[in-house]
């Protein structure tokens, strides 16, 4: 069965500094990997996905994520954080041949301080 | 198209009552998903439909829960004999079927409080 782990409940970073939000996954086959963001009082929004190809995936709002098959990781990154990036971030995985169910991690709260 | 719409936004009900939520997906999306999210947790998968067919149900979905998607358009999620543990945000999402996975578009959710 597929699973996702986000080892940090919270990440704090100063505005302008690079940020990383960590994610590791477990699937028995090839994964589809996703990042979603949830702003206060708003629904989940799709940020980016990895299906196949280049290990560095670019998404919305300047975010990118790096797929590392050997470490089974899919960390979310941004070169320069903004205060407006403060939100709850969810990593998610779907197994390529495992049906259409996507499993979400518990989430990491990102605080960007001015 | 205004995205995925969920109604009502909030529902307060007494324990033991039945509740029904509605989800209207993006019109061209043929896949529809229901998730449940409690405070401090990620969304938990409940069930999904491709067109009108319910293709997978989570073991979390007890027999008090039922979902339908008549005619492959809107969907309803009914909870019978509600319990306090059912209090959560119920999220609906939709996506396109195809060779690649397009990611989900989520609605704003229905917050259920069972008192």
């Amino acid at each position: 069965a597929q699973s996702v782990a986000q080892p940090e409940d919270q990440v704090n970073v100063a505005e302008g500094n690079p940020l990383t939000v960590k994610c590791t996954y477990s699937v028995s086959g090839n994964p589809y990997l996703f990042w979603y963001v949830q702003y206060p009082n708003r629904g989940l929004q799709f940020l980016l996905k990895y299906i196949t190809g280049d290990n560095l995936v670019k998404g919305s709002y300047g975010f990118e994520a790096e797929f590392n098959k050997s470490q089974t990781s899919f960390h979310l990154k941004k070169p320069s954080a903004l205060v407006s990036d403060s939100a709850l971030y969810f990593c998610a995985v779907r197994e390529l041949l495992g049906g259409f169910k996507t499993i979400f991690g518990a989430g990491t709260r990102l605080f960007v301080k001015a | 198209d205004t995205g995925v719409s969920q109604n009502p936004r909030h529902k307060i009900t007494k324990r033991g009552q039945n509740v029904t939520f509605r989800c209207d997906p993006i019109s061209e999306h043929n896949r529809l998903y229901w998730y449940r999210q409690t405070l401090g947790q990620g969304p938990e998968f409940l069930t999904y439909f491709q067109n009108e067919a319910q293709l997978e149900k989570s073991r979390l979905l007890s027999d008090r829960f039922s979902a339908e998607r008549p005619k492959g358009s809107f969907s309803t999620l009914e909870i019978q004999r509600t319990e306090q543990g059912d209090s959560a945000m119920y999220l609906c999402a939709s996506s396109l079927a195809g060779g690649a996975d397009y990611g989900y578009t989520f609605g704003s959710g229905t917050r259920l409080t069972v008192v």
Side-chain angles (χ1 to χ4, degrees):
Chain A
Q2 61 256 46
S3 65
V4 177
Q6 294 182 243
E8 303 152 316
D9 290 336
Q10 185 171 308
V11 169
N12 298 310
V13 64
E15 188 174 35
N17 283 359
L19 69 87
T20 299
V21 182
K22 295 180 181 177
C23 171
T24 58
Y25 67 90
S26 174
V27 296
S28 56
N30 291 321
Y32 287 165
L33 293 157
F34 307 86
W35 277 100
Y36 288 82
V37 60
Q38 189 171 36
Y39 297 102
N41 299 316
R42 293 176 63 179
L44 282 145
Q45 296 178 35
F46 169 76
L47 266 183
L48 52 79
K49 66 178 187 282
Y50 171 83
I51 305 298
T52 186
D54 194 347
N55 289 343
L56 186 64
V57 178
K58 293 189 185 297
S60 307
Y61 311 121
F63 283 93
E64 56 191 27
E66 187 168 12
F67 171 64
N68 187 317
K69 188 172 183 178
S70 63
Q71 297 186 3
T72 61
S73 67
F74 189 57
H75 301 331
L76 181 70
K77 301 182 179 185
K78 188 173 182 180
S80 179
L82 299 172
V83 171
S84 58
D85 293 330
S86 299
L88 193 53
Y89 291 81
F90 293 97
C91 182
V93 66
R94 177 163 83 74
E95 191 174 343
L96 181 62
L97 298 178
F100 301 107
K101 177 176 66 181
T102 298
I103 301 301
F104 287 78
T108 298
R109 187 164 296 281
L110 173 67
F111 284 103
V112 181
K113 193 172 181 180
Chain B
D1 197 329
T2 56
V4 178
S5 176
Q6 290 189 247
N7 289 289
R9 292 292 303 273
H10 303 276
K11 179 70 177 178
I12 300 174
T13 191
K14 291 183 178 180
R15 190 174 52 187
Q17 298 294 304
N18 299 344
V19 294
T20 299
F21 311 140
R22 177 178 170 124
C23 172
D24 287 90
I26 292 174
S27 57
E28 61 266 31
H29 286 184
N30 54 356
R31 288 187 190 150
L32 185 148
Y33 313 82
W34 284 99
Y35 282 79
R36 179 172 64 190
Q37 186 178 20
T38 53
L39 200 62
Q41 298 297 316
E44 295 176 294
F45 171 80
L46 293 179
T47 188
Y48 89 91
F49 293 82
Q50 179 147 326
N51 300 313
E52 67 275 10
Q54 188 174 20
L55 297 186
E56 189 170 351
K57 289 172 60 172
S58 167
R59 277 168 281 180
L60 293 173
L61 216 61
S62 76
D63 56 5
R64 297 184 298 104
F65 288 71
S66 62
E68 294 183 338
R69 193 183 181 198
K71 302 178 183 177
S73 56
F74 71 92
S75 176
T76 57
L77 178 68
E78 181 183 16
I79 309 174
Q80 296 182 327
R81 304 180 305 280
T82 53
E83 302 172 357
Q84 285 188 321
D86 297 331
S87 295
M89 178 73 85
Y90 289 83
L91 299 170
C92 177
S94 66
S95 72
L96 276 170
D101 197 300
Y102 294 95
Y104 295 174
T105 301
F106 278 89
S108 297
T110 294
R111 183 170 295 283
L112 173 66
T113 303
V114 182
V115 297

